């Protein structure tokens, strides 16, 4: 399990650094992007693990996102970079890409389906994956932004 | 002391017009590089207060309407500036935010602030090959996070590298963003779908699904929620709509790519 956590954390860190570079995060902040993403993603991994807490993906994502948002706020004055610069790259590894993909696939197959039975099956896949995907996205974004608004004085003085 | 620093703490008094024109340019640049409304509001008010002015702003998705006045005097100036489409840049966002603090804390003159501001805009350049390499590695890592095997990760790496390079080239030719998203998603998904031929027993569906994730417009989505919490509903709705349209273009490109490669989604 330790190997899985480390592998997951390293991949999340790499993904965060890469997406940080796309959004032109200052280079000195790459290390922080990677660190926050690795810790956040590992936290979600542990929260969802059946042997630890076995939480639902939506709740686990919410807690991990709040953790990422809080880390971004308190690291931002140290790194002299706005907290938002870390948020997106660090959150991205938690984006429910496969749910979105399956949801979109279900929708496409619904449109192409020729029988009522097939339509029902694919519509169920579209709705199931789509609802989970939306719930994860909304929870993730709101939980990550709340610390910025809660600790405004810290978040908006980071570049001072 | 540098030439620009000699303007510090000059104690010069500026007209509302001079301050408004600078703050408008600053606001447009900060908004263009994907800053949230709350950051824009705070930075502008901080600098206006340092220049002894009061400012009111009306932030629209394509324009910023700004009025600067001298409290207690009949000196008011209003200016509407257009937001220029610019690439997302947290580096520029950081430097512009630092500039606002320098104006407030160090008492920079308007001339020095303007000089530094224009220098920041000129210096905000990306290193395309570094970004390309890191973005490709990032998307391959994504594939790994979602359970893709080594071959799937390699295919995603190649699909992202080609798609992202195409995105950079099309952006440099000022092609419309929606067209860029559609074309890049199409190309990347076609390359990603080759996993069904190269490694049919592996994780080809994960390779296709993650091959276009580098295009997901995450920052507009995040910013729209931030604006929503700050009650900038029009901006929030506009950013959200932009993000949804880009996602739709991405999905269309992905769908066509899969259709071309005769790949089913399940």
């Amino acid at each position: 399990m330790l190997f899985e956590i480390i592998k997951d954390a390293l991949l999340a860190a790499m993904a965060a650094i890469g997406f940080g570079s796309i959004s032109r995060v200052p280079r000195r902040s790459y290390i922080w992007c990677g660190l926050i993403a690795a810790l956040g993603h590992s936290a979600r991994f542990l929260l969802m693990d059946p042997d630890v807490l076995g939480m639902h993906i939506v709740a686990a994502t919410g807690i991990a996102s709040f953790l990422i948002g809080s880390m971004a706020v308190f690291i931002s004055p140290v790194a002299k970079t706005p907290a938002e610069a870390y948020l997106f790259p660090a959150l991205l590894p938690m984006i429910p890409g496969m749910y979105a993909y399956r949801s979109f696939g279900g929708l496409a197959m619904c449109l192409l389906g020729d029988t009522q039975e097939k339509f029902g099956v694919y519509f169920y896949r579209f709705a199931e994956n789509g609802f989970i995907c939306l719930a994860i996205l909304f929870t993730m974004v709101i939980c990550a932004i709340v610390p910025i608004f809660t600790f405004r004085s810290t978040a908006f003085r980071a570049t001072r | 002391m540098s030439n620009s620093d000699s303007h510090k703490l000059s104690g010069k008094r500026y007209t509302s017009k001079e301050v408004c024109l600078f703050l408008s340019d600053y606001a447009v640049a900060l908004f263009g590089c994907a800053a949230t409304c709350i950051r824009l509001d705070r930075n502008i008010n901080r600098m206006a207060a340092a220049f002894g002015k009061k400012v009111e702003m009306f932030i629209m998705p394509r324009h910023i309407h700004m009025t600067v006045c001298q409290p207690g005097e009949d000196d008011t100036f209003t200016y509407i500036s257009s937001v220029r489409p610019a690439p997302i840049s947290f580096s520029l966002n950081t430097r512009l935010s630092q500039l606002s603090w320098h104006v407030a804390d160090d008492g920079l003159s308007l001339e020095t602030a303007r000089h530094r501001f224009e220098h920041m805009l000129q210096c905000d350049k990306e290193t395309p090959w570094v970004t390309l390499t890191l973005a490709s590695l990032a998307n391959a890592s994504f594939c790994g996070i979602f359970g893709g095997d080594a071959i799937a990760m390699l295919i995603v790496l190649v699909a992202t590298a080609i798609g992202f390079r195409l995105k950079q080239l099309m952006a440099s030719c000022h092609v419309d963003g929606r067209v860029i998203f559609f074309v890049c998603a199409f190309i990347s998904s076609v390359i990603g779908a080759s996993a069904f031929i190269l490694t049919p027993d592996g994780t080809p569906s994960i390779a296709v699904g993650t091959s276009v994730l580098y295009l997901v417009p995450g920052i507009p989505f995040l910013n729209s929620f931030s604006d929503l919490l700050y009650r900038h509903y029009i901006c929030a709705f506009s950013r959200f709509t932009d993000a949804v349209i880009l996602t739709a273009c991405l999905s269309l490109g992905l769908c066509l790519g899969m259709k071309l490669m005769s790949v089913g989604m399940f």
Side-chain angles (χ1 to χ4, degrees):
Chain A
M1 184 169 157
L2 186 65
F3 173 75
E4 283 298 310
I5 294 172
I6 293 170
K7 181 187 150 204
D8 202 63
L10 285 176
L11 289 172
M14 187 61 241
I17 291 170
F19 283 93
S21 78
I22 293 177
S23 47
R24 297 196 198 177
V25 167
R27 288 212 177 154
R28 64 176 185 276
S29 306
Y30 282 2
I31 186 77
W32 295 114
C33 283
L35 186 70
I36 293 172
L39 290 174
H41 206 256
S42 300
R44 188 176 80 155
F45 187 92
L46 285 173
L47 290 170
M48 286 172 63
D49 192 287
D51 296 333
V52 184
L53 283 175
M55 286 175 80
H56 188 266
I57 187 168
V58 178
T61 304
I63 294 171
S65 302
F66 186 80
L67 192 69
I68 285 176
S70 303
M71 281 191 287
V73 167
F74 290 106
I75 283 174
S76 60
V78 179
K80 301 271 178 204
T81 308
E84 304 96 279
Y86 306 115
L87 268 188
F88 168 67
L91 285 179
L92 216 74
M94 295 201 298
I95 277 188
M98 293 318 290
Y99 283 104
Y101 171 74
R102 288 190 205 116
S103 164
F104 181 71
L107 180 66
M109 299 301 276
C110 264
L111 297 173
L112 300 172
D114 46 2
T115 64
Q116 190 178 359
E117 192 188 351
K118 276 186 182 173
F119 183 89
V121 170
Y122 289 123
F123 191 81
Y124 174 76
R125 285 193 179 184
F126 160 68
E128 185 195 26
N129 288 291
F131 282 139
I132 294 176
C133 179
L134 281 178
I136 294 171
L137 275 178
F138 279 107
T139 310
M140 186 171 83
V141 173
I142 289 170
C143 290
I145 287 173
V146 161
I148 293 185
F149 281 85
T150 310
F151 307 107
R152 266 184 224 200
S153 56
T154 307
F156 291 101
R157 283 171 180 265
T159 52
R160 193 170 195 176
Chain B
M1 186 182 272
S2 69
N3 185 38
S4 60
D5 285 342
S6 66
H7 294 288
K8 273 186 185 178
L9 303 169
S10 60
K12 191 177 166 187
R13 201 172 156 191
Y14 302 101
T15 63
S16 293
K17 181 181 177 181
E18 288 171 318
V19 174
C20 186
L21 290 176
F22 168 66
L23 292 181
S24 290
D25 286 347
Y26 176 94
V28 163
L30 190 60
F31 195 74
C33 70
T36 54
C37 286
I38 185 169
R39 182 162 296 281
L40 190 65
D41 209 22
R42 284 181 170 244
N43 288 6
I44 292 290
N45 276 297
R46 185 181 301 138
M47 286 195 289
F51 291 125
K53 307 289 180 191
K54 195 170 178 301
V55 64
E56 290 297 339
M57 247 191 322
F58 182 41
I59 308 168
M60 294 292 286
R62 298 291 298 271
H63 299 91
I64 293 177
H65 183 147
M66 188 181 287
T67 296
V68 173
C69 66
Q70 179 73 43
E73 289 181 26
D74 190 18
D75 176 22
T76 303
F77 191 79
T78 298
Y79 193 72
I80 301 173
S81 44
S82 298
V83 174
R84 288 181 298 271
I88 291 165
S89 172
F90 280 115
S91 189
L92 183 60
N93 183 334
T94 303
R95 276 178 281 158
L96 289 174
S97 297
Q98 283 169 342
L99 177 65
S100 74
W101 281 111
H102 284 310
V103 169
D105 292 344
D106 304 340
L108 286 195
S109 68
L110 190 62
E111 294 82 359
T112 311
R114 164 73 75 180
H115 174 77
R116 289 192 184 180
F117 167 68
E118 280 165 8
H119 181 68
M120 283 171 188
L121 294 186
Q122 284 165 6
C123 291
D124 187 50
K125 301 272 188 278
E126 70 165 352
T127 38
W129 292 106
V130 174
T131 310
L132 176 69
T133 309
L134 290 175
S136 307
L137 287 170
N139 224 20
S141 303
F142 252 140
C143 182
I145 288 173
F146 292 133
D149 58 21
I151 298 172
M153 285 173 73
L154 189 66
I155 290 168
V156 171
L157 183 92
V158 175
T160 308
I162 293 171
F164 197 82
R165 184 65 193 141
L166 190 64
K167 184 175 179 246
Q168 288 176 325
L169 291 173
M170 289 171 84
S172 67
C173 297
H174 305 290
V175 177
D176 187 280
R178 290 160 292 190
V179 177
I180 294 177
F181 270 64
F182 170 74
V183 174
C184 294
F186 175 74
I187 298 292
S188 292
S189 60
V190 167
I191 299 167
S194 66
F196 279 93
I197 301 163
L198 298 171
T199 171
D201 300 328
T203 51
S205 62
I206 294 175
V208 183
T210 51
S211 64
V212 295
L213 281 185
Y214 70 96
L215 290 166
V216 171
I219 291 173
F221 271 126
L222 268 181
N223 284 351
S224 73
F225 279 92
S226 174
D227 291 347
L228 195 72
L229 290 179
Y230 195 51
R231 297 193 196 167
H232 273 270
Y233 298 123
I234 296 175
C235 273
F237 184 70
S238 158
R239 290 202 218 238
F240 190 78
T241 310
D242 263 351
V244 167
I245 289 171
L246 290 177
T247 309
C249 294
L250 184 165
S251 305
L252 198 62
L254 172 69
C255 197
L256 275 182
M258 293 179 73
K259 185 84 182 158
L260 181 78
M261 297 295 283
S262 304
V263 171
M265 287 221 165
F266 296 106

